[in-house]
mmCIF file of all heavy atoms in Angstrom:
data_model
loop_
_atom_site.group_PDB
_atom_site.id
_atom_site.type_symbol
_atom_site.label_atom_id
_atom_site.label_comp_id
_atom_site.label_asym_id
_atom_site.label_seq_id
_atom_site.Cartn_x
_atom_site.Cartn_y
_atom_site.Cartn_z
ATOM 1 N N MET A 1 91.491 152.166 -138.151
ATOM 2 C CA MET A 1 92.115 153.509 -138.226
ATOM 3 C C MET A 1 93.632 153.361 -138.377
ATOM 4 O O MET A 1 94.262 152.558 -137.705
ATOM 5 C CB MET A 1 91.766 154.292 -136.955
ATOM 6 C CG MET A 1 92.423 155.641 -136.835
ATOM 7 S SD MET A 1 91.622 157.032 -137.621
ATOM 8 C CE MET A 1 90.056 157.074 -136.791
ATOM 9 N N ARG A 3 97.562 153.885 -138.092
ATOM 10 C CA ARG A 3 98.339 154.164 -136.891
ATOM 11 C C ARG A 3 98.875 155.599 -136.866
ATOM 12 O O ARG A 3 98.871 156.253 -135.828
ATOM 13 C CB ARG A 3 99.492 153.169 -136.811
ATOM 14 C CG ARG A 3 100.192 153.204 -135.478
ATOM 15 C CD ARG A 3 100.964 151.930 -135.278
ATOM 16 N NE ARG A 3 102.198 152.182 -134.587
ATOM 17 C CZ ARG A 3 103.137 151.258 -134.394
ATOM 18 N NH1 ARG A 3 102.962 150.044 -134.877
ATOM 19 N NH2 ARG A 3 104.223 151.539 -133.742
ATOM 20 N N ASP A 7 98.328 158.606 -134.149
ATOM 21 C CA ASP A 7 99.443 159.329 -133.539
ATOM 22 C C ASP A 7 99.220 160.830 -133.621
ATOM 23 O O ASP A 7 99.419 161.562 -132.641
ATOM 24 C CB ASP A 7 100.759 158.966 -134.240
ATOM 25 C CG ASP A 7 101.262 157.603 -133.794
ATOM 26 O OD1 ASP A 7 100.639 157.045 -132.885
ATOM 27 O OD2 ASP A 7 102.243 157.108 -134.370
ATOM 28 N N TRP A 9 96.409 162.532 -133.971
ATOM 29 C CA TRP A 9 95.308 163.003 -133.119
ATOM 30 C C TRP A 9 95.706 163.029 -131.657
ATOM 31 O O TRP A 9 95.394 163.992 -130.935
ATOM 32 C CB TRP A 9 94.070 162.123 -133.329
ATOM 33 C CG TRP A 9 93.251 162.614 -134.480
ATOM 34 C CD1 TRP A 9 93.109 162.025 -135.692
ATOM 35 C CD2 TRP A 9 92.483 163.823 -134.532
ATOM 36 N NE1 TRP A 9 92.304 162.785 -136.500
ATOM 37 C CE2 TRP A 9 91.905 163.887 -135.811
ATOM 38 C CE3 TRP A 9 92.249 164.848 -133.622
ATOM 39 C CZ2 TRP A 9 91.090 164.948 -136.201
ATOM 40 C CZ3 TRP A 9 91.433 165.906 -134.012
ATOM 41 C CH2 TRP A 9 90.866 165.950 -135.274
ATOM 42 N N VAL A 10 96.393 161.961 -131.208
ATOM 43 C CA VAL A 10 96.821 161.944 -129.810
ATOM 44 C C VAL A 10 97.827 163.061 -129.562
ATOM 45 O O VAL A 10 97.797 163.718 -128.512
ATOM 46 C CB VAL A 10 97.393 160.568 -129.438
ATOM 47 C CG1 VAL A 10 97.994 160.589 -128.044
ATOM 48 C CG2 VAL A 10 96.305 159.515 -129.499
ATOM 49 N N PHE A 13 95.944 166.178 -129.140
ATOM 50 C CA PHE A 13 95.274 166.152 -127.830
ATOM 51 C C PHE A 13 96.240 166.512 -126.718
ATOM 52 O O PHE A 13 95.957 167.389 -125.882
ATOM 53 C CB PHE A 13 94.672 164.756 -127.624
ATOM 54 C CG PHE A 13 94.217 164.466 -126.228
ATOM 55 C CD1 PHE A 13 93.306 165.289 -125.586
ATOM 56 C CD2 PHE A 13 94.691 163.352 -125.561
ATOM 57 C CE1 PHE A 13 92.875 165.007 -124.311
ATOM 58 C CE2 PHE A 13 94.263 163.067 -124.282
ATOM 59 C CZ PHE A 13 93.365 163.900 -123.650
ATOM 60 N N ALA A 16 97.296 170.150 -126.943
ATOM 61 C CA ALA A 16 96.226 171.036 -126.480
ATOM 62 C C ALA A 16 96.140 171.001 -124.958
ATOM 63 O O ALA A 16 95.966 172.047 -124.319
ATOM 64 C CB ALA A 16 94.891 170.614 -127.093
ATOM 65 N N ALA A 20 96.738 174.090 -122.497
ATOM 66 C CA ALA A 20 95.724 174.503 -121.526
ATOM 67 C C ALA A 20 96.355 174.731 -120.164
ATOM 68 O O ALA A 20 96.068 175.724 -119.484
ATOM 69 C CB ALA A 20 94.628 173.439 -121.431
ATOM 70 N N VAL A 21 97.252 173.812 -119.764
ATOM 71 C CA VAL A 21 97.909 173.966 -118.455
ATOM 72 C C VAL A 21 98.738 175.248 -118.437
ATOM 73 O O VAL A 21 98.713 176.021 -117.473
ATOM 74 C CB VAL A 21 98.780 172.735 -118.144
ATOM 75 C CG1 VAL A 21 99.604 172.974 -116.896
ATOM 76 C CG2 VAL A 21 97.911 171.501 -117.963
ATOM 77 N N LEU A 24 96.501 178.232 -118.139
ATOM 78 C CA LEU A 24 95.993 178.378 -116.774
ATOM 79 C C LEU A 24 97.076 178.940 -115.863
ATOM 80 O O LEU A 24 96.818 179.769 -114.999
ATOM 81 C CB LEU A 24 95.510 177.030 -116.242
ATOM 82 C CG LEU A 24 94.242 176.466 -116.875
ATOM 83 C CD1 LEU A 24 93.981 175.067 -116.363
ATOM 84 C CD2 LEU A 24 93.051 177.351 -116.599
ATOM 85 N N ALA A 25 98.320 178.465 -116.068
ATOM 86 C CA ALA A 25 99.403 178.907 -115.194
ATOM 87 C C ALA A 25 99.746 180.369 -115.430
ATOM 88 O O ALA A 25 100.019 181.107 -114.486
ATOM 89 C CB ALA A 25 100.633 178.033 -115.409
ATOM 90 N N LEU A 26 99.711 180.806 -116.697
ATOM 91 C CA LEU A 26 100.198 182.157 -116.997
ATOM 92 C C LEU A 26 99.097 183.217 -116.962
ATOM 93 O O LEU A 26 99.318 184.322 -116.483
ATOM 94 C CB LEU A 26 100.877 182.179 -118.375
ATOM 95 C CG LEU A 26 102.148 181.356 -118.484
ATOM 96 C CD1 LEU A 26 102.754 181.507 -119.854
ATOM 97 C CD2 LEU A 26 103.147 181.760 -117.416
ATOM 98 N N ARG A 27 97.931 182.887 -117.494
ATOM 99 C CA ARG A 27 96.899 183.922 -117.605
ATOM 100 C C ARG A 27 95.870 183.883 -116.485
ATOM 101 O O ARG A 27 95.253 184.899 -116.158
ATOM 102 C CB ARG A 27 96.167 183.795 -118.953
ATOM 103 C CG ARG A 27 96.956 184.268 -120.146
ATOM 104 C CD ARG A 27 97.363 185.734 -120.023
ATOM 105 N NE ARG A 27 96.233 186.633 -119.789
ATOM 106 C CZ ARG A 27 95.531 187.195 -120.755
ATOM 107 N NH1 ARG A 27 95.831 186.962 -121.990
ATOM 108 N NH2 ARG A 27 94.538 187.989 -120.458
ATOM 109 N N VAL A 28 95.625 182.716 -115.917
ATOM 110 C CA VAL A 28 94.539 182.610 -114.947
ATOM 111 C C VAL A 28 95.042 182.712 -113.514
ATOM 112 O O VAL A 28 94.393 183.289 -112.663
ATOM 113 C CB VAL A 28 93.755 181.297 -115.179
ATOM 114 C CG1 VAL A 28 92.708 181.100 -114.118
ATOM 115 C CG2 VAL A 28 93.099 181.323 -116.543
ATOM 116 N N SER A 29 96.228 182.152 -113.222
ATOM 117 C CA SER A 29 96.687 182.161 -111.838
ATOM 118 C C SER A 29 97.957 182.992 -111.724
ATOM 119 O O SER A 29 98.592 183.328 -112.712
ATOM 120 C CB SER A 29 96.964 180.739 -111.366
ATOM 121 O OG SER A 29 98.087 180.232 -112.016
ATOM 122 N N SER A 30 98.299 183.299 -110.475
ATOM 123 C CA SER A 30 99.525 184.051 -110.245
ATOM 124 C C SER A 30 100.336 183.322 -109.178
ATOM 125 O O SER A 30 99.782 182.822 -108.207
ATOM 126 C CB SER A 30 99.205 185.465 -109.773
ATOM 127 O OG SER A 30 98.358 185.400 -108.658
ATOM 128 N N SER A 32 101.737 183.471 -106.333
ATOM 129 C CA SER A 32 101.919 184.363 -105.184
ATOM 130 C C SER A 32 102.554 183.644 -104.006
ATOM 131 O O SER A 32 102.960 184.275 -103.057
ATOM 132 C CB SER A 32 100.580 184.926 -104.756
ATOM 133 O OG SER A 32 99.754 183.888 -104.310
ATOM 134 N N SER A 33 102.642 182.313 -104.070
ATOM 135 C CA SER A 33 103.130 181.607 -102.892
ATOM 136 C C SER A 33 104.648 181.454 -102.896
ATOM 137 O O SER A 33 105.182 180.526 -102.328
ATOM 138 C CB SER A 33 102.462 180.246 -102.801
ATOM 139 O OG SER A 33 102.413 179.636 -104.049
ATOM 140 N N HIS B 40 102.939 152.452 -128.389
ATOM 141 C CA HIS B 40 101.847 152.703 -129.342
ATOM 142 C C HIS B 40 100.545 152.050 -128.904
ATOM 143 O O HIS B 40 99.459 152.498 -129.267
ATOM 144 C CB HIS B 40 102.265 152.234 -130.749
ATOM 145 C CG HIS B 40 102.381 150.747 -130.874
ATOM 146 N ND1 HIS B 40 101.346 149.967 -131.299
ATOM 147 C CD2 HIS B 40 103.399 149.909 -130.609
ATOM 148 C CE1 HIS B 40 101.721 148.703 -131.289
ATOM 149 N NE2 HIS B 40 102.972 148.640 -130.878
ATOM 150 N N ILE B 43 99.125 154.711 -126.762
ATOM 151 C CA ILE B 43 98.705 155.843 -127.597
ATOM 152 C C ILE B 43 97.380 155.531 -128.281
ATOM 153 O O ILE B 43 96.469 156.366 -128.333
ATOM 154 C CB ILE B 43 99.809 156.166 -128.625
ATOM 155 C CG1 ILE B 43 100.974 156.848 -127.916
ATOM 156 C CG2 ILE B 43 99.280 157.052 -129.739
ATOM 157 C CD1 ILE B 43 102.114 157.204 -128.818
ATOM 158 N N TYR B 47 93.794 157.519 -127.844
ATOM 159 C CA TYR B 47 92.929 158.046 -128.902
ATOM 160 C C TYR B 47 91.467 157.774 -128.561
ATOM 161 O O TYR B 47 90.621 158.646 -128.645
ATOM 162 C CB TYR B 47 93.300 157.409 -130.246
ATOM 163 C CG TYR B 47 92.409 157.857 -131.368
ATOM 164 C CD1 TYR B 47 92.616 159.095 -131.988
ATOM 165 C CD2 TYR B 47 91.357 157.071 -131.801
ATOM 166 C CE1 TYR B 47 91.786 159.521 -132.989
ATOM 167 C CE2 TYR B 47 90.527 157.494 -132.807
ATOM 168 C CZ TYR B 47 90.743 158.719 -133.401
ATOM 169 O OH TYR B 47 89.912 159.149 -134.399
ATOM 170 N N GLY B 50 90.872 159.496 -124.683
ATOM 171 C CA GLY B 50 91.107 160.936 -124.576
ATOM 172 C C GLY B 50 90.525 161.733 -125.721
ATOM 173 O O GLY B 50 89.655 162.574 -125.540
ATOM 174 N N VAL B 51 91.013 161.436 -126.932
ATOM 175 C CA VAL B 51 90.629 162.260 -128.082
ATOM 176 C C VAL B 51 89.123 162.186 -128.333
ATOM 177 O O VAL B 51 88.478 163.198 -128.587
ATOM 178 C CB VAL B 51 91.420 161.826 -129.335
ATOM 179 C CG1 VAL B 51 90.994 162.630 -130.542
ATOM 180 C CG2 VAL B 51 92.900 161.987 -129.103
ATOM 181 N N LEU B 54 86.984 164.485 -126.280
ATOM 182 C CA LEU B 54 87.206 165.931 -126.356
ATOM 183 C C LEU B 54 85.928 166.695 -126.638
ATOM 184 O O LEU B 54 85.676 167.745 -126.034
ATOM 185 C CB LEU B 54 88.235 166.239 -127.455
ATOM 186 C CG LEU B 54 89.689 166.099 -127.043
ATOM 187 C CD1 LEU B 54 90.603 166.385 -128.222
ATOM 188 C CD2 LEU B 54 90.003 167.045 -125.914
ATOM 189 N N LEU B 155 94.733 165.951 -118.568
ATOM 190 C CA LEU B 155 94.693 166.806 -119.763
ATOM 191 C C LEU B 155 93.253 167.228 -120.055
ATOM 192 O O LEU B 155 92.980 168.392 -120.365
ATOM 193 C CB LEU B 155 95.283 166.054 -120.960
ATOM 194 C CG LEU B 155 96.750 165.678 -120.841
ATOM 195 C CD1 LEU B 155 97.164 164.816 -122.013
ATOM 196 C CD2 LEU B 155 97.615 166.923 -120.790
ATOM 197 N N LEU B 156 92.326 166.268 -119.934
ATOM 198 C CA LEU B 156 90.921 166.595 -120.180
ATOM 199 C C LEU B 156 90.415 167.615 -119.165
ATOM 200 O O LEU B 156 89.678 168.543 -119.513
ATOM 201 C CB LEU B 156 90.065 165.328 -120.124
ATOM 202 C CG LEU B 156 90.207 164.378 -121.297
ATOM 203 C CD1 LEU B 156 89.443 163.092 -121.039
ATOM 204 C CD2 LEU B 156 89.696 165.027 -122.572
ATOM 205 N N ALA B 158 92.210 169.860 -117.587
ATOM 206 C CA ALA B 158 92.786 171.174 -117.898
ATOM 207 C C ALA B 158 92.035 171.821 -119.048
ATOM 208 O O ALA B 158 91.721 173.023 -119.012
ATOM 209 C CB ALA B 158 94.266 171.023 -118.235
ATOM 210 N N LEU B 159 91.708 171.021 -120.076
ATOM 211 C CA LEU B 159 90.952 171.572 -121.212
ATOM 212 C C LEU B 159 89.553 171.992 -120.762
ATOM 213 O O LEU B 159 89.044 173.032 -121.203
ATOM 214 C CB LEU B 159 90.868 170.530 -122.325
ATOM 215 C CG LEU B 159 92.165 170.343 -123.094
ATOM 216 C CD1 LEU B 159 92.125 169.083 -123.931
ATOM 217 C CD2 LEU B 159 92.411 171.550 -123.982
ATOM 218 N N VAL B 162 89.886 175.375 -119.153
ATOM 219 C CA VAL B 162 90.117 176.483 -120.086
ATOM 220 C C VAL B 162 88.836 176.812 -120.846
ATOM 221 O O VAL B 162 88.440 177.981 -120.953
ATOM 222 C CB VAL B 162 91.264 176.122 -121.058
ATOM 223 C CG1 VAL B 162 91.331 177.130 -122.183
ATOM 224 C CG2 VAL B 162 92.573 176.088 -120.323
ATOM 225 N N TRP B 184 90.062 189.648 -116.452
ATOM 226 C CA TRP B 184 91.264 188.812 -116.359
ATOM 227 C C TRP B 184 92.124 189.211 -115.177
ATOM 228 O O TRP B 184 92.723 188.360 -114.519
ATOM 229 C CB TRP B 184 92.076 188.884 -117.649
ATOM 230 C CG TRP B 184 91.377 188.243 -118.807
ATOM 231 C CD1 TRP B 184 90.798 188.900 -119.857
ATOM 232 C CD2 TRP B 184 91.143 186.853 -119.032
ATOM 233 N NE1 TRP B 184 90.230 188.000 -120.710
ATOM 234 C CE2 TRP B 184 90.425 186.735 -120.240
ATOM 235 C CE3 TRP B 184 91.479 185.701 -118.331
ATOM 236 C CZ2 TRP B 184 90.027 185.505 -120.754
ATOM 237 C CZ3 TRP B 184 91.086 184.488 -118.846
ATOM 238 C CH2 TRP B 184 90.368 184.393 -120.040
ATOM 239 N N MET B 187 90.783 187.924 -111.917
ATOM 240 C CA MET B 187 90.971 186.469 -111.888
ATOM 241 C C MET B 187 92.408 186.144 -111.505
ATOM 242 O O MET B 187 92.664 185.341 -110.613
ATOM 243 C CB MET B 187 90.637 185.901 -113.264
ATOM 244 C CG MET B 187 90.604 184.400 -113.326
ATOM 245 S SD MET B 187 90.495 183.827 -115.005
ATOM 246 C CE MET B 187 88.879 184.350 -115.463
ATOM 247 N N GLN B 188 93.340 186.812 -112.185
ATOM 248 C CA GLN B 188 94.743 186.482 -111.956
ATOM 249 C C GLN B 188 95.191 186.878 -110.547
ATOM 250 O O GLN B 188 96.004 186.189 -109.940
ATOM 251 C CB GLN B 188 95.621 187.178 -112.995
ATOM 252 C CG GLN B 188 96.999 186.560 -113.094
ATOM 253 C CD GLN B 188 97.681 186.940 -114.374
ATOM 254 O OE1 GLN B 188 97.302 187.904 -115.023
ATOM 255 N NE2 GLN B 188 98.700 186.190 -114.748
ATOM 256 N N VAL B 191 93.554 184.013 -108.087
ATOM 257 C CA VAL B 191 93.769 182.583 -108.274
ATOM 258 C C VAL B 191 95.239 182.298 -108.043
ATOM 259 O O VAL B 191 96.103 182.915 -108.654
ATOM 260 C CB VAL B 191 93.341 182.134 -109.690
ATOM 261 C CG1 VAL B 191 93.612 180.656 -109.866
ATOM 262 C CG2 VAL B 191 91.877 182.426 -109.908
ATOM 263 N N ASP B 192 95.511 181.365 -107.126
ATOM 264 C CA ASP B 192 96.884 181.073 -106.771
ATOM 265 C C ASP B 192 97.361 179.840 -107.533
ATOM 266 O O ASP B 192 96.627 178.859 -107.666
ATOM 267 C CB ASP B 192 96.985 180.828 -105.271
ATOM 268 C CG ASP B 192 98.418 180.694 -104.825
ATOM 269 O OD1 ASP B 192 99.066 181.740 -104.709
ATOM 270 O OD2 ASP B 192 98.875 179.564 -104.618
ATOM 271 N N PHE B 193 98.589 179.900 -108.023
ATOM 272 C CA PHE B 193 99.107 178.777 -108.823
ATOM 273 C C PHE B 193 99.151 177.496 -108.013
ATOM 274 O O PHE B 193 98.620 176.461 -108.424
ATOM 275 C CB PHE B 193 100.498 179.136 -109.355
ATOM 276 C CG PHE B 193 101.138 178.029 -110.147
ATOM 277 C CD1 PHE B 193 100.747 177.781 -111.440
ATOM 278 C CD2 PHE B 193 102.118 177.228 -109.578
ATOM 279 C CE1 PHE B 193 101.316 176.753 -112.163
ATOM 280 C CE2 PHE B 193 102.692 176.206 -110.295
ATOM 281 C CZ PHE B 193 102.288 175.973 -111.591
ATOM 282 N N HIS B 194 99.759 177.574 -106.815
ATOM 283 C CA HIS B 194 99.910 176.361 -106.018
ATOM 284 C C HIS B 194 98.596 175.901 -105.427
ATOM 285 O O HIS B 194 98.204 174.760 -105.549
ATOM 286 C CB HIS B 194 100.898 176.619 -104.870
ATOM 287 C CG HIS B 194 102.249 176.124 -105.168
ATOM 288 N ND1 HIS B 194 103.143 176.865 -105.897
ATOM 289 C CD2 HIS B 194 102.858 174.968 -104.862
ATOM 290 C CE1 HIS B 194 104.254 176.166 -106.025
ATOM 291 N NE2 HIS B 194 104.101 175.016 -105.400
ATOM 292 N N LEU B 197 95.594 175.804 -108.696
ATOM 293 C CA LEU B 197 95.854 175.071 -109.936
ATOM 294 C C LEU B 197 96.467 173.701 -109.664
ATOM 295 O O LEU B 197 95.991 172.681 -110.182
ATOM 296 C CB LEU B 197 96.777 175.919 -110.823
ATOM 297 C CG LEU B 197 96.885 175.509 -112.268
ATOM 298 C CD1 LEU B 197 95.517 175.582 -112.918
ATOM 299 C CD2 LEU B 197 97.843 176.412 -113.005
#
Side-chain angles (χ1 to χ4, degrees):
Chain A
M1 175 85 61
R3 191 160 144 187
D7 283 354
W9 274 109
V10 173
F13 167 56
V21 172
L24 290 174
L26 295 183
R27 286 301 305 271
V28 175
S29 70
S30 54
S32 64
S33 43
Chain B
H40 69 93
I43 286 180
Y47 177 80
V51 178
L54 277 178
L155 297 174
L156 287 173
L159 286 166
V162 169
W184 292 107
M187 188 190 292
Q188 198 162 19
V191 178
D192 187 78
F193 178 77
H194 261 84
L197 195 60

